[in-house]
Amino acid sequence: MMRTRPLKVALLGCGVVGSEVARIMTTHADDLAARVGAPVELAGVAVRRPSKVREGIDPALITTDATALVKRGDLDVVVEVIGGIEPARTLITTAFEHGASVVSANKALLAQDGAALHAAAEEHDKDLYYEAAVAGAIPLIRPLRESLAGDKVNRVLGIVNGTTNFILDKMDSTGAGYQEALDEATALGYAEADPTADVEGFDAAAKAAILAGIAFHTRVRLDDVYREGMTEVTAADFASAKEMGCTIKLLAICERSKDGASVTARVHPAMIPLTHPLASVRGAYNAVFVESDAAGQLMFYGPGAGGSPTASAVLGDLVAVCRNRLSNATGPGESAYAALPVSPMGEVVTRYHISLDVADKPGVLAQVATVFAEHGVSIDTVRQQGKDGEASLVVVTHRASDASLNGTVEALRKLDTVRGVASIMRVEGE
């Protein structure tokens, strides 16, 4: 039997995502009511520019006073899609204090202050849901928090930023340089006017922190995530990758150590074999691999950004939270009981592809090989090409720690026969 009194929802932000959330709430009102068990009413919308025309939204609902809106006391759910740290953090905690549960898409805030927000939600016996904070429409948070709650997750590996994947895919498929591919991404609306958050890996690092925390039941903050952008990736790197049967992706990688005593979280460009499913993820799409003891390998794939996909995730959370309100219950909160330490990047073990500019003369390869051996880094393959007294030397290692590889590179730079280190790239997905 459906309850007649509506559940009241306030919307903080009415940009690309917020306006789509409002539209779906209005046009699909009957379906949402049937799925929740009560009508779901948009009770207020906080914006910065009230004069802007917002089709389908009653102007009487618009306000610039977000604080007063969340303090009303009669709200059931506050949907936060304004982004950033403040005022979002204060508005969310204020919403809890005044009786509302929260649905958020704010990856930056959750990566930085997720523990405090979860604590505030628990203190006031309210829900904090944030499926839309990672990978857009792709159901990922809920499967990790609920579907795999009885399993042991060992690794999360994926492409979680559509802008960077579009750029790298364009470089791979057309041979374009980085700037050319970025310009096209900007023209098509895939990249912001200032793409720093995407191309330098900040966006993906925030998502990695959230995923690692949930997957390993451990608090992982943004500062714990190693981050390396993709602005230095070149067409030459892609040529080298193709020679190895690989392509290049900006990956978010969250791993449990082999002994289970620690975890790592990192974001960086990496070569992956063309046989790996992530290699075929094209355009602005996202895909994430989850590896666990019982379930094995699971792959989640779909559009990772945009108004409609992100709104889909927001609405899914909204329905779940509204159902909880009707049953006087709350869903899963923070699970950080494992409290595993987060290991530094220097302890991460992986394979490496190193391209060196060297003198084209006898004995160079032996010198280079000696340096690798002295630092305990085993060479898998080596390829040398030379012309007119100069040569390139491409070395692919077996698995080695980041610290040992860094020591190797420092020693290589001191050799008279090494003119420079053209590129270093990790090899993943094997």
Side-chain angles (χ1 to χ4, degrees), residues 388-399:
D388 298 330
E390 297 295 328
S392 63
L393 193 65
V394 176
V395 177
V396 179
T397 74
H398 287 291
R399 293 176 65 82

Side-chain angles (χ1 to χ4, degrees), residues 117-133:
L117 295 178
H118 276 294
E122 184 177 359
E123 178 185 355
H124 297 285
D125 197 28
K126 296 295 179 287
D127 276 323
L128 173 62
Y129 276 47
Y130 43 92
E131 184 68 65

Side-chain angles (χ1 to χ4, degrees), residues 42 91 96 108-109 120 125 150 170 191 198 207 227 253 263 412 420:
L42 186 60
L91 291 171
F96 291 141
L109 178 58
D125 197 28
K170 187 61 62 174
D198 294 323
K207 295 170 182 177
R227 177 194 55 78
I253 306 170
V263 299
L412 288 171

Side-chain angles (χ1 to χ4, degrees), residues 3-23:
R3 193 181 79 166
T4 56
R5 184 177 72 81
L7 292 160
K8 294 187 176 183
V9 179
L11 181 61
L12 306 182
C14 198
V16 174
V17 176
S19 59
E20 188 66 7
V21 170
R23 184 192 69 78

